[in-house]
Each structure stands twice: as structure tokens, then as C-alpha cells.
Amino acid sequence: MSVAPIVLKLGGDVIAGPYLGAIASDVAALARAGTPVVLVHGGGPQATALQKQLGQTPNIVGGRRITDEATLDVMKMTLAGKVNVDLCAALVAAGARPVGLHGASSCVIRAVKRPPRVVSGGGPDPIDFGFVGDVTGLRHELLSLLLDAGYVPVLACLGADEGGNVYNINADVVANQSAIALGARSLFLVTDVPAVLRDVADPTSRIPRLSLADGKKAIADGVVTKGMIPKLDESFAAIAAGVRAVHIVGRLQPGDLAREAADPGSVGTVLVP
């Protein structure tokens, strides 16, 4: 790759929501302008809904889904199936050239089974999360081949090892590791909120820019709470590993993604060292 890519992470709620068309349009525009884009997506809400339809009870401990064999089948059907296809279809409609991939696509996302670990909210004993993986690398040559030819890789958050074992992986983790491995110019985390907010009930309380020190203080002061805390922690870890900037954005209108890429902090919140 002659140009450092942008890595864009979309959650399942964003893909099912009203802003997907605007996002897809901006991705297509960036790709046409010569900015390589890699998309990483989750699909937690869709997976939970399918589990319930199939009579399964989702087992989530400390915010993490325990993935037994039956749950892994649901994740395959949801992530590498419906959600990936729906996202690719929206990109095609916007004029982009998406290629849907998952971990077993030539091990494009290499992974190993996550060892049992103690997690917050899971009690004192280590939890075995089953078929849940940790990213060990990406197949650079495949992604470079696609990006250099003008395609948009769309990665479902499933990993695989050389033995053909498939693992469920948190999409934020896949996005962070992808951005690190690809030397991304920036990582965009597209959420259901417009930015990091001083007051979650007030969209106008957007924080345009957060350094590591500012982020730690915002967490300590209780300004940042709940699900935004792990996003900030993982984002600053990605920055420490070489990602130049992480943007937290959401509720995007046409042009917002390109504008935030050109002028960091103008639309969402940009995290910097």
C-alpha cells in the first residue's frame, strides 16, 4: 500500500440504523478519491436476536459473550452472513467496491483461543469464554492486493488459525489490531452517539479532542462512563502502538466522515497521544 489506509469500525446497531447510507456514501467517496478504507464490523444485537429466535439464552459475562459451539454457529451466520452482506450491499448501492471477508478467508484475521482470565463483573475465578479469540496478525498481502486495486475490504469480526479453528472476537479489538498492523493513518469508531460527550443527554456537549491525560481525567472525574470507558482504554492502547489518531463519531450525515478525516475533531472526538 502506497497510501496509509483509514480503518472504520461499525457496530451492528449502526449497520441496522438510519445512518448507514450516509456512511456508505462517504466511504465510496473516500475510496474514489484515493484514500484506502478497511471496514471492520460487529453484529452483537443481531446475534443476540438470532440466539433468542433459536431458543438459546445469550451468556454474557462482564460485557463479553461466552461462545460455546452453538453460539459460534450463530456468530458465523450473523457476522459472516447477514450483517456482512447487508453492509456490502449498502456500499455497492453507494458506488463502492466492497469485498466481504471473515477470519477463515485465507486467515485474513489470524487468531488464537483466548485463555481463561478474570474479568470485571465475572467473579474471582478465571472465565473460559469458549471459542473467543485474540488477534495475532493480519494477512497483509491479501488486504494490500484489494486496497491497491480500489476495493474496500469488509472484515467480519471472526478470526481463524491455521488449523481451521474459528473464533469470535470483539469488533473493537479487531479494528484496533487492524489499524496497528496496517499502519493506519486513523481509526474511526462509529457508535450510536455523536462523540465523547461531557453530558450524555446533551449532544452539544461534544469534546472535540482528547489526549491520553485528558481521557484519564475524564474517566476519573466521571465525565466518561459505562461503555465509553473500554473504548477509550483500547483506543489509547492503539495509539501507543502506533495508530496516529482515533476518531469516535456517530449519527453521521452525508459528508461528515470525510470532513472529520480532513479536519480531526470537527465532527466527533479525536483521540491523540
Side-chain angles (χ1 to χ4, degrees):
M1 288 174 290
S2 57
V3 179
I6 287 174
V7 174
L8 188 70
K9 181 264 175 176
L10 305 179
D13 50 352
V14 174
I15 295 169
Y19 303 101
L20 181 58
I23 295 167
S25 177
D26 275 15
V27 169
L30 286 167
R32 283 195 300 269
T35 299
V37 183
V38 176
L39 266 66
V40 175
H41 71 82
Q46 292 91 334
T48 295
L50 182 55
Q51 280 193 279
K52 291 178 178 178
Q53 288 177 25
L54 296 174
Q56 298 178 15
T57 300
N59 188 1
I60 297 175
V61 177
R64 299 164 175 86
R65 192 184 307 263
I66 292 181
T67 305
D68 58 14
E69 191 168 352
T71 302
L72 182 62
D73 281 345
V74 167
M75 303 312 291
K76 291 176 183 176
M77 286 185 277
T78 305
L79 298 174
K82 175 175 171 52
V83 178
N84 194 273
V85 171
D86 287 350
L87 179 51
C88 286
L91 289 163
V92 167
R97 299 167 63 195
V99 177
L101 301 167
H102 48 76
S105 303
S106 297
C107 286
V108 68
I109 305 168
R110 291 192 298 275
V112 295
K113 185 181 185 303
R114 172 170 291 183
R117 62 176 61 177
V118 176
V119 297
S120 176
D125 298 323
I127 303 282
D128 185 346
F129 282 91
F131 295 98
V132 168
D134 289 319
V135 177
T136 59
L138 272 70
R139 190 164 294 281
H140 286 254
E141 67 272 22
L142 175 56
L143 294 174
S144 295
L145 182 71
L146 293 170
L147 291 170
D148 288 344
Y151 293 99
V152 178
V154 181
L155 305 179
C157 59
L158 295 170
D161 62 23
E162 300 294 345
N165 301 296
V166 176
Y167 302 102
N168 180 26
I169 309 177
N170 178 275
D172 284 335
V173 172
V174 174
N176 286 346
Q177 292 301 312
S178 297
I180 293 167
L182 295 171
R185 58 183 275 192
S186 54
L187 166 62
F188 282 75
L189 303 179
V190 184
T191 71
D192 57 355
V193 295
V196 180
L197 305 174
R198 296 187 186 281
D199 178 356
V200 294
D202 180 7
T204 66
S205 66
R206 179 175 67 87
I207 303 173
R209 184 181 181 92
L210 272 178
S211 67
L212 173 58
D214 294 335
K216 287 182 175 180
K217 186 175 187 302
I219 293 171
D221 292 347
V223 174
V224 172
T225 60
K226 299 181 180 177
M228 191 59 74
I229 293 175
K231 282 191 185 300
L232 289 191
D233 287 342
E234 291 175 9
S235 297
F236 283 121
I239 290 171
V243 176
R244 300 171 210 179
V246 178
H247 305 255
I248 296 178
V249 296
R251 303 178 187 174
L252 296 169
Q253 301 299 319
D256 279 353
L257 187 61
R259 186 160 55 253
E260 176 69 18
D263 185 10
S266 62
V267 173
T269 298
V270 61
L271 310 178
V272 295

